[in-house]
Amino acid sequence: MAKPQYSGPWQRLRPQILARDGGTCQIGAPGCTTIATQVDHITPVHAGGAWYDPANLRAACANCNNRRPDNRRTEQWRTAKTRIVLVTGPPAAGKTTWVGDNKGPNDLVVDYDQLAGAIGGTSNPTHDAPNNPLHEPTLDARNAILRGLRQGKYNMGRAWIISANPKAEEMFPYHRVVVIDPGKDEVMRRLDAAGRPLRYRQLVADWYATRQGEVTDDGSRPW
């Protein structure tokens, strides 16, 4: 049954958008047929996009529209049983330690550092080194787990995603986000004490510069 939002105003707006865009698909993804027969929300409605704002609409071919991530199985995490907690913060903030103190015995933890150690068979992985051969297989393993989470494939209480990316909330699925931030001075002190390469100081500086002015309190998605 069609959603009520696709009746009424939508029936009048849809042909207007197709005509405005010349009947040509505006997405142009691999396999695009170029012939637009559908209208796509640029920012998905579930992410705050407006239903009927022409600025948020574009003509699309069926192939491109149906292949968009928000229209595929990659969004089943929203209603899956597993509750995803994204734990983010600068390098050396103590994210892994915090998760270790709070996770349950059967929780899933997605942590690049721990995966690199497991793949390399060591508790002290050398993934910091440039061109480390463990980097690609570690990313492959991490991405495979993240893909499974997005598809809602795992049946467990909680999954924890650990990330030092300053834009982690835009990249990963989550129901709850926790920011671990002991302060820039303390993070730099920890880097020096651990003998981390100088490039880590730049990563920390970039993290704080990117997130300057953002609220770092615990937050949750509305679903």
Side-chain angles (χ1 to χ4, degrees), residues 71-129:
N71 289 333
R72 295 165 55 193
R73 290 197 313 133
T74 54
E75 296 296 304
Q76 292 187 4
W77 62 271
R78 300 180 188 279
T79 56
K81 178 179 179 180
T82 302
R83 183 169 176 82
I84 302 172
V85 184
L86 172 61
V87 181
T88 186
K95 300 180 295 296
T96 299
T97 299
W98 189 90
V99 170
D101 291 341
N102 287 274
K103 74 178 187 68
N106 296 315
D107 288 355
L108 172 66
V109 178
V110 187
D111 184 348
Y112 179 98
D113 290 2
Q114 292 184 343
L115 282 171
I119 291 173
T122 175
S123 59
N124 186 28
T126 58
H127 56 273
D128 294 344

Side-chain angles (χ1 to χ4, degrees), residues 86-91 95 142 162-172 174 177-180 202-216:
L86 172 61
V87 181
T88 186
K95 300 180 295 296
R142 181 171 175 263
I162 299 175
S163 174
N165 192 300
K167 296 186 177 181
E169 292 93 332
E170 301 175 16
M171 299 176 60
F172 302 105
Y174 70 84
V177 59
V178 176
V179 179
I180 307 297
Q202 185 59 53
L203 291 174
V204 170
D206 291 344
W207 192 91
Y208 282 99
T210 300
R211 297 186 69 98
Q212 186 176 10
E214 292 188 8
V215 176
T216 57

Side-chain angles (χ1 to χ4, degrees), residues 21-88:
D21 292 342
T24 302
C25 180
Q26 303 298 299
I27 298 178
C32 178
T33 66
T34 72
I35 301 173
T37 58
Q38 300 180 9
V39 172
D40 168 62
H41 288 88
I42 299 172
T43 300
V45 174
H46 64 68
W51 266 104
Y52 304 124
D53 184 355
N56 191 43
L57 298 173
R58 60 184 170 183
C61 71
N63 183 71
C64 286
N65 198 24
N66 293 333
R67 286 173 60 89
R68 288 201 67 199
D70 52 286
N71 289 333
R72 295 165 55 193
R73 290 197 313 133
T74 54
E75 296 296 304
Q76 292 187 4
W77 62 271
R78 300 180 188 279
T79 56
K81 178 179 179 180
T82 302
R83 183 169 176 82
I84 302 172
V85 184
L86 172 61
V87 181
T88 186

